[in-house]
Structures are given as C-alpha cells and as structure tokens.
Amino acid sequence: SQWGEENLQALSIQEGEDVTMNCSYKTYTTVVHWYRQDSGRGPALIILIRSNEREKRSGRLRATLDTSSQSSSLSITAAQCEDTAVYFCATEMPNYNVLYFGSGTKLTVEP
Amino acid sequence: NAGVIQTPRHKVTGKGQEATLWCEPISGHSAVFWYRQTIVQGLEFLTYFRNQAPIDDSGMPKERFSAQMPNQSHSTLKIQSTQPQDSAVYLCASSTRDWGGCTGQLYFGEGSKLTVL
C-alpha cells in the first residue's frame, strides 16, 4: 500500500468542536487530495493541496501538507452535523495519473 | 450536468454467474477510472482509460475481471464467475486530467453495489 495507515479510523465529536484528521503516505508526492464520502454516495473532492502551499483553506476546512514527514492533515472548524461523513486523503506519484486513497476517517458529529 | 452515471445501483448474483457494471462518464472528460470499495480493503484502484484507451490495469485481478471502453460515453466492468469475495461497491470516476499534466479532481458516480451469494 502507498499509505501508512491500514484501518478505517473513527472519530466522534460534538457539534461546534474542532477536529483534525491525519494521514501519512509512503512515496513522494506533490499534491494531496481530500475527499468526503456521504453514506450511499461516491467520494467528492473537498480540498486539494500542493507541495508548494503547505496550508490551504476553504471555508471551515484547513489542509496542511508536510512533504518532509510525508503527512497531511485536514481540520474542520466548528463542526456541524452535516460534516458527518467518511474523509479520505489521496495522492499520486508525479506524472502518474492514478489516485491512491488512504483508509479514511469516519467522522460523526453529534448534536 | 448529470454527473457520472453508474448502473445498476444494486446487483445480486449467485456464485459463478457473470456481472456487468456500466459507467457513463461526464461528457468531455478524457479519463475514466474504476475503483472497488470494501470495509476491509477500502478504496482500491482497479483500472483506468484515457481517451478510451486502456492505460493502467495494475489493480485488476488477473482472472475473471475485465474492463472496456468501447466509446467515449460508456465503460463497462465485467466480472466472470463471480465469487463471494467480489462483493463490494464498484465506483467509476471520470476526470479531465491529462497524461503527466496538472492533477485534476475525480468525479465519482454513486457506485454499483455487487452482492454475490
């Protein structure tokens, strides 16, 4: 596997809390994608960060990328019930168009 | 834009039967990908096409699985002699990514859930 994590992780938080999800990868990459998957749907891209950005924000989302430690994180500020989903990070090797997905984090936001 | 369309949404087959899954990519997208999703293995890459040509099938099981893209508007994934371990959600995605070019996002369909009894 291109990824270090092997098992789906689960997080449960209360509405209004902040949460950070982490993933690590084994091979060199210049970009990390973060996708969210709602129950019964396909994954959808929520944020993409390139190696020259280190940090990227989109609304309540914040992604970071540390190429030296080969890790990325996704933070959600003031989580809401509708943020409940499975979140995946994905990456590819340069000039190789296939995205490989991590095992994902199942986030549950409770009211 | 209707998005990526996958049919059927659910398919139940008996062990040893054949299953064919269809995907209609977003119009104008040059790349089509197939993934398989299970609780245990997560999202596994199977194969991908660019401009209808097969580019990488490194994730495809060597026996029983095959994929085709006869025209730009649809791709099929065929599983012969299905086994219970083939039970999974099969996801199709399309993209405007170019070979060696800028990374483009994948647009996924809602998946076809295959259950092999």
Side-chain angles (χ1 to χ4, degrees):
Chain A
S1 169
Q2 191 177 11
W3 293 91
E5 297 177 18
E6 299 298 333
N7 300 311
L8 176 68
Q9 295 186 327
L11 289 174
S12 183
I13 61 173
Q14 298 296 121
E15 200 169 24
E17 292 182 345
D18 299 341
V19 62
T20 297
M21 292 164 272
N22 299 295
C23 67
S24 59
Y25 52 93
K26 295 179 181 178
T27 57
Y28 173 76
T29 188
T30 58
V31 61
V32 173
H33 298 224
W34 283 90
Y35 284 74
R36 94 172 245 168
Q37 185 175 27
D38 296 308
S39 180
R41 307 294 297 275
L45 180 73
I46 53 174
I47 196 166
L48 182 155
I49 181 167
R50 303 184 188 279
S51 57
N52 61 354
E53 294 179 305
R54 294 190 63 81
E55 177 180 301
K56 184 87 168 279
R57 292 180 185 268
S58 176
R60 294 183 295 107
L61 304 177
R62 172 178 174 262
T64 66
L65 176 59
D66 184 344
T67 54
S68 63
S69 64
Q70 295 189 163
S71 64
S72 179
S73 71
L74 174 71
S75 298
I76 303 176
T77 303
Q80 301 171 4
C81 290
E82 51 264 37
D83 295 325
T84 293
V86 179
Y87 292 83
F88 295 96
C89 49
T91 191
E92 62 180 289
M93 291 178 282
N95 297 322
Y96 189 67
N97 282 32
V98 175
L99 273 185
Y100 290 92
F101 286 79
S103 52
T105 298
K106 184 176 181 180
L107 176 68
T108 302
V109 182
E110 298 176 349
Chain B
N1 192 330
V4 174
I5 299 172
Q6 289 190 248
T7 55
R9 289 295 313 280
H10 302 275
K11 186 171 182 65
V12 179
T13 66
K15 182 179 175 180
Q17 293 184 329
E18 181 178 289
T20 300
L21 309 176
W22 282 268
C23 171
E24 180 181 331
I26 293 172
S27 178
H29 282 193
S30 57
V32 172
F33 300 78
W34 285 95
Y35 287 82
R36 175 170 65 181
Q37 186 173 32
T38 61
I39 295 295
V40 174
Q41 297 295 332
L43 267 165
E44 298 177 278
F45 165 74
L46 294 177
T47 187
Y48 109 86
F49 297 84
R50 179 172 55 89
N51 296 324
Q52 298 173 234
I55 300 299
D56 183 344
D57 67 354
S58 59
M60 290 276 274
K62 297 308 176 190
E63 297 179 356
R64 303 186 296 106
F65 282 65
S66 62
Q68 294 184 329
M69 191 163 185
N71 57 59
Q72 63 185 8
S73 63
H74 91 274
S75 175
T76 59
L77 179 67
K78 182 180 292 186
I79 308 170
Q80 295 178 312
S81 185
T82 55
Q83 303 297 310
Q85 61 264 31
D86 299 330
S87 296
V89 175
Y90 290 84
L91 289 159
C92 176
S94 70
S95 172
T96 57
R97 354 177 76 211
D98 296 317
W99 178 255
C102 294
T103 302
Q105 73 180 85
L106 294 186
Y107 294 83
F108 282 88
E110 296 191 330
S112 293
K113 183 176 182 179
L114 175 66
T115 302
V116 182
L117 301 176

